[in-house]
Amino acid sequence: MQKSHAARPSALDARLSAPKTAKILLGNEIVGCHLREEGGDDACLEMISAAGIPEHFVLAIGDGDERLARVTCRKQGANGAELWVQFLGPARLAA
């Protein structure tokens, strides 16, 4: 029987899907989360709870990278919440 390597993710796939630390900025409140980019302008955010997260918000990724995001799907489970978002562009316009 021949073994298939297609089902096994490569090291590059694992590195690209590794979660990054991010912050949802809600005025005076900051909600920490983990970001998994899914390619293009789509991503999945993982957090303890999505309660109080509006449809549109600013997501801060690393130092200085702030993006306007729109929630496209929400899922709350026993292990926390997942939000799928679409990035709409930078949160601030360049001067």
Side-chain angles (χ1 to χ4, degrees), residues 27-88:
N28 294 331
E29 186 179 354
I30 296 173
V31 178
C33 61
H34 294 286
L35 166 78
R36 286 188 188 273
E37 295 193 55
E38 298 194 348
D41 292 332
D42 299 318
C44 179
L45 304 177
E46 300 167 345
M47 64 199 70
I48 295 171
S49 173
I53 305 295
E55 180 181 358
H56 292 90
F57 57 85
V58 174
L59 184 70
I61 308 163
D63 293 329
D65 184 9
E66 294 184 357
R67 303 180 198 178
L68 183 58
R70 180 179 69 90
V71 177
T72 58
C73 183
R74 297 173 186 258
K75 179 181 174 187
Q76 181 73 45
N79 295 325
E82 293 178 318
L83 293 180
W84 282 266
V85 298
Q86 177 184 31
F87 294 121
L88 304 174

